[in-house]
């Protein structure tokens, strides 16, 4: 019934005939809970510290909060968002004691997983989903209490769905960060990884929870958060898969290549720097946001985010950096211009047709009016045109095509890579423009693939934005 002859919770003992018969009966009853999942459940039962921290402490903490702060019970459980936030918070706490240990819990027995005839990253994913399921049980319990106490609301349906999806994604984030912080060659290493990874998880979990439950104005914005976090999860596990073959060799390292995680880091850093610039720097200096200052913030944020990521790649001695980013002539100037013209024409035609429908289709026209009513116009036409035609293609294509598309292309087919990068590119734009921007992303990806150069994607993006600026009156007949 043990895992390996070692000290602590991993210590096993020889089984007699009676023990073997009990073990066979238990295996038949467990069914799907055999294998790596059954091993983790067995380890959870034997490691009482992990059992208490994962299953008991969250209940104790919640009970103490309700006992010492009656206002939480009085007011918190009568608000849909507060209940969803408590459910997500308790689930995230469970993950801090479980998902981070998917690798560290193996201890000196980690080499056994390398002997299994299965990919190690898939075994770890099964363990992560197990702990994500445990965390969802606590979230479902709190959400169920809310369903029993409060009247039916579609808002609570949306929040409950978001919480459960976000918990699974956070479990996968925690599992990946736990792998990065684990040191299997150090017998005294903490099981939950380094403090840096733990605080990183707490920061990401707080952003995901607060952003989707309190900050998101509607279901679309919650879906966008889940899509972006999903890409982040995939990027982290891509790095996990790259690192796993070298965990037990202290002197070996994989060759550094630019990856999807670099593109996600650049994109998230770009948006964060823009927000900090607009809402903190300009406000602190007492400057009213207008054309020149917004243009400066956009360009500075984009250049700084890309420069920081590329500097980190250069320091890591990344190979084939220029080729992966496409900062070359690829198949030649003719291929760049030809592919840009062909793909750009298709994107422009779709964009003009969308503008035409926007002005004449009642449903779309109503959405456009609602969107313009909520927007605050800070850019005049001159500065808006300059940003759209010159600055945006340079920054956004470097991130979404040079880093994200090309990283996906190394592991997937051309259509999957184009569609995935275009989806991420579209959802970070205004909801009203998601459809044409998605087509633009596909066209830029095709031009990049045909020419082998990022300059063709930038030409497509620049031409499309210029055409949309000229054809804008079609949306206001």
């Amino acid at each position: 019934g043990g895992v390996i002859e070692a000290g602590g919770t991993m210590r096993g003992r020889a089984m007699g005939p009676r023990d073997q018969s009990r073990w066979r009966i238990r295996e038949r009853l467990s069914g799907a809970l055999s294998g790596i999942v059954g091993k983790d459940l067995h380890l959870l039962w034997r490691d009482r510290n992990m059992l208490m921290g994962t299953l008991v402490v969250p209940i104790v903490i919640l009970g103490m909060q309700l006992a010492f702060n009656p206002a939480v019970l009085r007011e918190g459980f009568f608000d849909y968002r507060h209940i969803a936030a408590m459910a997500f918070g308790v689930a995230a706490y469970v993950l801090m004691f479980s998902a981070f240990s998917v690798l560290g819990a193996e201890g000196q027995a980690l080499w056994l997983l390398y002997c299994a005839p299965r990919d190690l990253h898939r075994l770890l994913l099964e363990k992560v989903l197990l702990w994500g399921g445990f965390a969802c049980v606590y979230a479902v319990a709190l959400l169920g209490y809310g369903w029993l106490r409060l009247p039916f609301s579609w808002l609570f349906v949306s929040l409950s769905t978001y919480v459960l999806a976000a918990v699974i994604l956070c479990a996968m984030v925690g599992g990946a960060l736990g792998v990065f912080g684990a040191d299997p060659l150090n017998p005294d290493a903490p099981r939950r990884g380094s403090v840096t990874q733990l605080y990183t998880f707490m920061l990401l979990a707080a952003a995901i929870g607060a952003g989707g439950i309190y900050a998101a104005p509607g279901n679309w914005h919650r879906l966008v958060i889940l899509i972006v976090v999903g890409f982040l999860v995939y990027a982290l596990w891509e790095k996990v898969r790259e690192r796993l073959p070298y965990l037990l060799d202290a002197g070996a390292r994989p060759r550094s290549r630019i990856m999807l995680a670099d593109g996600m880091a650049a994109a998230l850093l770009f948006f964060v720097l823009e927000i900090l610039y607009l809402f903190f720097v300009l406000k602190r200096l007492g400057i009213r946001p207008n054309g020149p200052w917004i243009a400066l913030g956009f360009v500075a944020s984009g250049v700084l985010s890309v420069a920081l990521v590329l500097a980190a790649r250069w320091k890591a001695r990344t190979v084939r950096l220029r080729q992966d980013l496409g900062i070359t002539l690829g198949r030649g100037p003719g291929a760049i211009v030809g592919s840009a013209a062909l793909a750009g024409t298709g994107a422009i035609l779709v964009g003009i047709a969308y503008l035409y429908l926007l002005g004449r289709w009642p449903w779309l026209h109503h959405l456009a009016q609602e969107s313009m009513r909520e927007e605050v116009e800070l850019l005049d036409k001159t500065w808006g045109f300059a940003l759209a035609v010159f600055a945006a293609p340079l920054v956004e294509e470097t991130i979404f095509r040079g880093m994200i598309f090309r990283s996906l292309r190394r592991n997937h087919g051309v259509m999957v890579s184009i569609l995935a990068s275009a989806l991420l590119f579209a959802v970070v734009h205004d909801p009203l423009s998601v459809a044409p921007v998605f087509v633009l992303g596909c066209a830029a990806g095709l031009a990049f693939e045909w020419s082998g150069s990022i300059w063709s994607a930038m030409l497509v993006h620049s031409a499309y934005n210029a055409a949309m600026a000229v054809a804008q009156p079609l949306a206001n007949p």
Side-chain angles (χ1 to χ4, degrees):
V3 180
I4 188 175
E5 181 65 23
T9 58
M10 292 290 182
R11 183 174 181 84
R13 61 182 177 83
M15 291 191 294
R18 183 177 299 178
D19 294 325
Q20 291 178 7
S21 62
R22 291 175 180 174
W23 181 259
R24 292 191 192 98
I25 294 173
R26 187 162 54 182
E27 272 205 329
R28 293 192 186 99
L29 292 176
S30 64
L33 297 181
S34 58
I36 193 71
V37 173
K39 185 195 76 67
D40 258 32
L41 290 176
H42 190 57
L43 177 62
L44 177 66
W45 177 250
R46 298 179 68 177
D47 189 346
R48 300 307 163 88
N49 290 330
M50 187 176 182
L51 179 67
M52 293 292 293
T54 303
L55 303 182
V56 180
V57 172
I59 300 176
V60 173
I61 290 179
L62 183 61
M64 291 178 63
Q65 286 293 326
L66 297 178
F68 291 110
N69 298 297
V72 175
L73 188 60
R74 236 181 7 254
E75 300 174 10
F77 281 96
F78 288 92
D79 185 277
Y80 298 111
R81 297 183 188 273
H82 294 345
I83 294 176
M86 283 188 282
F88 180 81
V90 171
Y93 186 86
V94 171
L95 295 175
M96 287 172 56
F97 282 87
S98 56
F100 267 86
S101 305
V102 293
L103 191 66
E106 299 298 329
Q108 299 302 305
L110 177 61
W111 64 271
L112 281 175
L113 296 186
Y114 284 89
C115 301
R118 295 184 59 195
D119 291 334
L120 181 55
H121 77 281
R122 292 185 180 274
L123 294 176
L124 296 181
L125 275 174
E126 288 185 17
K127 297 175 68 171
V128 166
L129 293 177
L130 168 67
W131 301 121
F134 271 113
C136 283
V137 169
Y138 287 88
V140 167
L142 283 170
L143 293 173
Y145 182 80
W147 280 104
L148 293 175
R149 291 292 300 270
L150 299 178
F152 177 82
S153 169
W154 286 111
L155 172 62
F156 199 38
V157 173
S158 170
L159 291 174
S160 301
T161 306
Y162 176 83
V163 166
L164 296 179
V167 167
I168 295 298
L169 291 175
C170 283
M172 299 179 74
V173 170
L177 293 176
V179 173
F180 298 148
D183 185 7
L185 301 179
N186 180 9
D188 299 322
R191 286 181 49 178
R192 282 188 294 275
S194 68
V195 176
T196 303
Q197 271 74 28
L198 192 61
Y199 280 118
T200 302
F201 172 78
M202 293 170 63
L203 179 63
L204 287 173
I208 294 170
I213 296 172
Y214 290 107
N219 294 333
W220 168 253
H221 297 84
R222 294 188 189 96
L223 178 61
V224 169
I225 293 174
L226 292 178
I227 291 174
V228 173
V229 175
F231 273 91
L232 179 62
V233 165
Y234 184 87
L236 290 174
W237 278 91
E238 184 184 52
K239 290 185 71 69
V240 167
R241 187 173 184 175
E242 181 194 45
R243 183 181 176 184
L244 286 177
Y246 303 90
L247 274 177
L248 299 182
D249 191 340
R253 291 289 185 274
R255 296 180 68 188
S256 177
R257 296 283 297 272
I258 195 161
M259 301 181 69
L260 180 60
D262 301 308
M264 294 301 300
L268 294 175
L269 184 60
F270 175 42
F271 297 133
V272 169
L273 289 177
E274 273 197 293
I275 293 172
L276 292 176
Y277 175 81
L278 288 175
F279 294 99
F280 292 98
V281 176
L282 293 185
K283 186 177 181 180
R284 185 66 180 248
L285 296 176
I287 299 173
R288 180 182 177 276
N290 52 26
W293 288 105
I294 293 177
L296 175 63
F298 183 92
V299 174
S301 301
V303 171
L304 182 60
S305 59
V306 172
L308 288 174
V309 171
L310 294 183
R313 291 295 93 208
W314 177 78
K315 184 178 180 182
R317 298 181 180 179
T318 301
V319 297
R320 295 181 55 83
L321 186 58
R322 292 178 67 248
Q323 290 80 2
D324 285 344
L325 289 175
I327 311 177
T328 62
L329 292 180
R331 297 179 178 87
I336 293 175
V337 175
S339 60
L342 183 59
T345 300
I348 289 171
L349 291 177
V350 171
I352 291 175
Y354 184 78
L355 285 178
Y356 182 84
L357 292 175
L358 206 61
R360 288 160 180 80
W361 195 2
W363 180 70
L364 274 177
H365 190 61
H366 175 71
L367 288 180
Q369 289 179 329
E370 291 293 327
S371 178
M372 287 191 305
R373 193 176 294 120
E374 295 175 359
E375 279 188 2
V376 178
E377 190 66 37
L378 299 176
L379 279 172
D380 55 34
K381 291 185 178 180
T382 303
W383 284 101
F385 186 85
L387 274 181
V389 176
F390 299 105
L394 180 66
V395 173
E396 293 178 353
E397 292 305 316
T398 302
I399 295 175
F400 288 96
R401 244 61 62 185
M403 295 182 182
I404 294 176
F405 166 69
R406 288 303 289 268
S407 299
L408 290 169
R409 185 69 182 90
R410 285 205 304 271
N411 299 318
H412 302 282
V414 59
M415 291 310 299
V416 172
S417 304
I418 288 175
L419 294 175
S421 60
L423 174 65
L424 182 61
F425 177 60
V427 297
V428 297
H429 283 77
D430 183 79
L432 192 64
S433 61
V434 164
V437 170
F438 176 77
V439 175
L440 168 62
C442 292
L446 282 172
F448 198 169
E449 180 71 18
W450 291 338
S451 66
S453 173
I454 198 173
W455 305 114
S456 60
M458 291 180 180
L459 286 176
V460 170
H461 197 154
S462 180
Y464 174 87
N465 285 350
M468 293 304 100
V470 173
Q472 194 65 36
L474 288 174
N476 301 291

